[in-house]
Amino acid sequence: MAAIFLGFHAWAWAMMGIWTHNLPARIVAAVLAVTAAGLLFRLRWTRLAGTAMLIWIAGSKAYGLVAREFTWKQAVLCAVYGMIAYQLWTRPDKGSIDDFTEEDLPQDGQQKNDDEDEAKPIISLVHLRRQPRYLEPQVLANALSEAWGLQIVGGEEDADQADGFVAGDNPLFLVMVRKPVFAMFMVHNRDTSYFDDPEEVASHVPNLRFAEIIREHSAWLAVDLMQVKDTEVGQDEAYRLIGKAVSALADDDVMAIFCPQHRFFNLWSPELEKLLCGDSPLDALREEVKAPVIGVPNGEAIEQAITEARQRWPEFVEIFKKRQPDDERFIVKAPFTGENGQVEHMWMQVFGLEPEYVHGHLVNHPMHTTKLKQGSQVEVPVATISDWVCPDAEGNPLGNFTHKAINQAAGQGA
């Protein structure tokens, strides 16, 4: 975090130096940038340099509070920079740098509190996006005001009478609110992949829909809770606030939502947007809005399951003939080929049988074809079916022969 804040100030000083042709400002920008880069690469000397610069920034804001005008916005920023400087100096192994040895930490008999140092979870929700969102302080303040029902101000507006404020500028913003409890958030708006190695991450994700988004997204937006000492907001309340925030900031470029703490991943949809604004946003993320698409390699287990389904097809036919007219528990799985040549096995709800064909409505959301959608009426040859499910004489599910093989494939990819 120290590297992020110093990098932001380096950018601000550089812009001032360029616009005003001010050489000292450019020098300050260069020093800040080098220190920020050193923190990112965990160079040992940057611990002292970074702490000194953060103290200098905090001190300049404190001087402004005394010499000019007191504002809550500047007071909070002063406290934040002071806190980051303190943590960088006293606990570098828990902050932006994690490879200093015990010899580098303050001695003088200082006791280390294991409970206090225990790593806190990242309370955050992330948009995985097709492209970055347009965002500036006032735009963010307006969105959060609507989402939280508070008066959040941004830019140069007076924050003293407001419920909170937005500081910073794209791609990094600081948000502080005083209602319903004191809390601080970071908002990131980046034009790069959220994952360091998207291909490597995607290769371990069994759901092909999710894997495709991990590979293809090119931007991300995240709202993170800053867990500072005076934070009064609990984890559940934090996720409720963050859920409303990411919903208010969503647009047509959002592909999916990711929760780093719990590793939840869900496709973006209007239904999910409504659920994220409810009392239990994490519960909304747990349940996938579309059926997962699992990549199953050809193998003996899956081939045996498909063979058994076809051999026992007459059982399905006989039970279907005796069904009640409104019984919707008869489904069949069959392969469908998309425009790109990819084969996707999907379930269809059966409403009619012929000796050579099955008629039904598609249950799944297709991934590889744009010609079909959930609910499309389709017909498939009986010879191509890969699985089926129907109720037996006692009403229990019969069939689902490929289920075990698919679960094994999903477990191996997880």
Side-chain angles (χ1 to χ4, degrees):
M1 186 175 290
I4 293 174
F5 275 86
L6 290 177
F8 173 76
H9 275 275
W11 174 83
W13 279 91
M15 291 299 99
M16 183 176 70
I18 293 171
W19 291 335
T20 62
H21 303 285
N22 188 321
L23 180 59
R26 297 182 186 181
I27 294 174
V28 171
V31 173
L32 287 168
V34 170
T35 305
L39 287 170
L40 289 175
F41 287 101
R42 297 172 171 83
L43 301 181
R44 196 172 302 278
W45 61 269
T46 56
R47 180 183 169 209
L48 175 60
T51 302
M53 290 180 185
L54 288 166
I55 292 174
W56 169 63
I57 295 171
S60 66
K61 294 188 178 297
Y63 175 78
L65 292 172
V66 175
R68 291 191 289 274
E69 179 184 5
F70 178 88
T71 65
W72 279 108
K73 181 176 179 179
Q74 291 301 313
V76 170
L77 289 174
C78 176
V80 168
Y81 281 104
M83 176 196 69
I84 295 173
Y86 173 78
Q87 289 191 339
L88 177 61
W89 180 249
T90 60
R91 298 197 303 164
D93 57 328
K94 300 295 182 185
S96 297
I97 305 176
D98 59 10
D99 62 349
F100 290 107
T101 65
E102 288 293 322
E103 296 176 356
D104 296 308
L105 298 175
Q107 303 299 319
D108 300 332
Q110 183 176 353
Q111 297 296 315
K112 191 173 182 179
N113 189 325
D114 291 336
D115 293 335
E116 190 175 271
D117 282 352
E118 185 177 354
K120 295 181 178 179
I122 299 174
I123 299 177
S124 172
L125 294 178
V126 184
H127 287 176
L128 299 186
R129 305 176 52 86
R130 296 181 181 87
Q131 59 184 5
R133 192 191 194 285
Y134 172 75
L135 209 57
E136 58 183 36
Q138 192 57 57
V139 173
L140 178 57
N142 291 342
L144 296 179
S145 295
E146 182 177 351
W148 294 339
L150 301 173
Q151 182 189 358
I152 310 295
V153 299
E156 300 302 321
E157 291 185 275
D158 184 9
D160 290 344
Q161 303 302 317
D163 300 320
F165 66 83
V166 173
D169 206 345
N170 205 44
L172 183 65
F173 302 86
L174 171 68
V175 180
M176 187 279 284
V177 293
R178 293 189 283 266
K179 296 180 180 179
V181 293
F182 174 79
M184 298 179 65
F185 301 88
M186 296 292 293
V187 178
H188 306 259
N189 188 35
R190 305 286 178 174
D191 60 350
T192 184
S193 171
Y194 180 76
F195 305 97
D196 292 335
D197 189 344
E199 189 62 40
E200 171 66 17
V201 174
S203 67
H204 295 288
V205 175
N207 189 326
L208 299 186
R209 295 188 198 276
F210 296 169
E212 183 178 44
I213 290 174
I214 290 170
R215 292 188 179 97
E216 293 186 355
H217 80 280
S218 60
W220 58 278
L221 183 152
V223 180
D224 306 344
L225 174 69
M226 293 183 65
Q227 301 187 70
V228 297
K229 183 176 180 180
D230 294 328
T231 297
E232 301 171 0
V233 64
Q235 181 169 301
D236 292 341
E237 178 64 20
Y239 272 117
R240 281 192 284 270
L241 289 170
I242 293 173
K244 292 177 181 179
V246 296
S247 294
L249 293 168
D251 56 20
D252 292 341
D253 288 314
V254 180
M255 305 170 74
I257 293 288
F258 178 61
C259 176
Q261 179 185 3
H262 299 288
R263 313 299 290 179
F264 294 156
F265 196 106
N266 216 330
L267 302 178
W268 184 251
S269 69
E271 295 79 13
L272 180 61
E273 181 176 2
K274 293 178 183 178
L275 293 172
L276 286 176
C277 294
D279 292 333
S280 303
L282 289 182
D283 290 342
L285 289 172
R286 284 189 181 95
E287 185 174 350
E288 296 176 13
V289 296
K290 293 184 179 180
V293 179
I294 307 297
V296 181
N298 292 329
E300 184 177 351
I302 194 69
E303 292 298 332
Q304 287 178 351
I306 293 174
T307 298
E308 183 178 3
R310 292 173 180 171
Q311 289 175 344
R312 296 180 59 180
W313 174 246
E315 296 179 42
F316 182 96
V317 174
E318 287 302 313
I319 298 173
F320 184 81
K321 290 178 181 178
K322 301 173 184 177
R323 81 193 192 288
Q324 295 297 320
D326 58 348
D327 195 337
E328 299 179 344
R329 293 176 293 172
F330 293 80
I331 57 175
V332 165
K333 184 190 288 185
F336 295 83
T337 303
E339 294 89 311
N340 57 4
Q342 292 271 17
V343 176
E344 184 175 356
H345 289 253
M346 293 186 286
W347 291 99
M348 53 186 284
Q349 190 177 69
V350 179
F351 64 78
L353 291 181
E354 294 183 60
E356 302 296 332
Y357 289 93
V358 182
H359 302 268
H361 292 106
L362 207 57
V363 174
N364 297 107
H365 294 268
M367 178 177 175
H368 295 298
T369 178
T370 58
K371 295 180 180 179
L372 298 173
K373 62 181 181 179
Q374 186 184 45
S376 293
Q377 184 170 322
V378 293
E379 67 173 29
V380 297
V382 170
T384 66
I385 64 169
S386 53
D387 205 347
W388 52 263
V389 176
C390 69
D392 63 15
E394 297 178 355
N396 298 315
L398 178 66
N400 205 10
F401 306 99
T402 60
H403 178 72
K404 183 176 180 180
I406 291 173
N407 277 353
Q408 288 176 345
Q412 291 171 0

